[in-house]
Amino acid sequence: MTPTLIIVPGLGDSGPQHWQTLWQHKFGAERVRQDDPENPVPEVWAARLHEVIGATPGELVLVAHSAGVATVAHWARLSGGEDRDRVRGALLVAPADPEQAGMAELHPELLALAPLPLEELPFPALLVYSENDPYCTPERAELLAEAWGAAAVSAGESGHLNVDSGHGDWPDGEILLSEALHAWTPPAVVRF
């Protein structure tokens, strides 16, 4: 059975040309829609993710971008039980680091997401980061991946991996997702 993707956007809910929105339509994914997508509150955003997970049957894969990555980390810390067990894995793309120096000037609303939880995630994850992302240094991205027990992969100098950095449909991301899904799928049991 193919898992259902759950899109977890960051600030602004990832606009119509963002790869998350394009993937939502392409793959029939579910989407987390925050009441106030410009002002993250960890407990509120995590609760909305929890609602969407609870309303979506079967196995799930979380596909988070930017502040959505922090939402997944906060949700994993705050939630428990069978809903977490249904998450086969998470694709965590271009995390926004609310603890990064200068974030108050870049996006002060992201400061509300600090501190980021550093507990290991209860499901496999792949963190994709950029070497020149203004919202998270490569070193911090690798530290987050290690803390979360996630594999990490650099997308090179790709900005914030969004529309502004030229990532509309993002076919390379689809390849990474496909490879991660393959790695997260347990081998079939053959009975004789």
Side-chain angles (χ1 to χ4, degrees), residues 158-180:
S158 299
H160 195 48
L161 291 158
N162 59 6
V163 175
D164 291 344
S165 63
H167 296 84
D169 196 35
W170 194 35
D172 289 344
E174 285 187 49
I175 293 168
L176 289 170
L177 176 61
S178 176
E179 290 173 349

Side-chain angles (χ1 to χ4, degrees), residues 40-179:
V41 176
E43 296 78 11
V44 173
W45 280 31
R48 180 55 51 89
L49 172 57
H50 191 72
E51 288 173 16
V52 174
I53 287 171
T56 307
E59 287 191 315
L60 310 170
V61 171
L62 308 179
V63 179
H65 178 259
S66 190
V69 173
T71 300
V72 169
H74 282 290
W75 173 78
R77 178 180 57 85
L78 296 169
S79 71
E82 64 187 50
D83 283 334
R84 285 189 347 182
D85 295 342
R86 294 188 304 116
V87 176
R88 185 185 291 176
L91 180 66
L92 309 172
V93 181
D97 180 8
E99 299 168 65
Q100 177 172 291
M103 190 57 76
E105 290 77 37
L106 282 173
H107 267 298
E109 53 279 351
L110 290 173
L111 299 177
L113 294 170
L116 285 177
L118 296 177
E119 294 88 12
E120 186 168 340
L121 296 173
F123 41 78
L126 174 63
L127 189 145
V128 182
Y129 67 92
S130 168
E131 299 289 334
N132 63 344
D133 190 334
Y135 301 105
C136 188
T137 66
E139 296 79 17
R140 177 68 168 171
E142 290 178 2
L143 181 144
L144 292 172
E146 183 177 342
W148 293 337
V153 63
S154 169
E157 293 188 356
S158 299
H160 195 48
L161 291 158
N162 59 6
V163 175
D164 291 344
S165 63
H167 296 84
D169 196 35
W170 194 35
D172 289 344
E174 285 187 49
I175 293 168
L176 289 170
L177 176 61
S178 176
E179 290 173 349

